[in-house]
Amino acid sequence: MQTIHELGHAIADRRRSLGLKQGDVARQAGVAQEMLSRLERGRCAEFGARKLLAIAAVLGMEVDFIETVVSGSLDDLRRERANA
């Protein structure tokens, strides 16, 4: 996942697959239902790590960080080709 929208969608999908209501998950995680709703809809500009981890724990999920490869822009690739 690379966007808050994708993250929220995954959380909503998991919650629904477990048959849980937003209010129940929010209460167990110690966050406001409106906050969870905004997260699920990708409407949060920022979302704290503690809250995210609490929601993930309630849903039986975990946060995993993976290394990604940073690719250059088209201009960077052209410069590299020209210098080769």
Side-chain angles (χ1 to χ4, degrees):
M1 285 174 252
Q2 295 184 351
T3 67
I4 194 79
H5 184 70
E6 291 171 339
L7 175 63
H9 188 70
I11 287 172
D13 285 348
R14 175 67 175 171
R15 178 184 58 75
R16 289 184 195 113
S17 74
L18 294 172
L20 299 173
K21 296 180 180 181
Q22 277 184 346
D24 295 333
V25 173
R27 190 171 22 269
Q28 290 178 46
V31 301
Q33 181 179 351
E34 179 59 29
M35 178 70 75
L36 177 56
S37 175
R38 286 195 316 262
L39 173 63
E40 288 186 358
R41 291 180 285 128
R43 303 280 189 231
C44 285
E46 294 183 19
F47 200 82
R50 184 201 63 79
K51 293 175 185 173
L52 176 60
L53 292 172
I55 291 168
V58 170
L59 297 175
M61 300 173 84
E62 65 180 35
V63 177
D64 189 20
F65 295 93
I66 58 171
E67 189 174 324
T68 59
V69 177
V70 178
S71 61
S73 68
L74 183 56
D75 289 336
D76 292 338
L77 295 172
R78 286 179 178 152
R79 268 192 299 278
E80 185 177 309
R81 180 179 252 178
N83 292 332

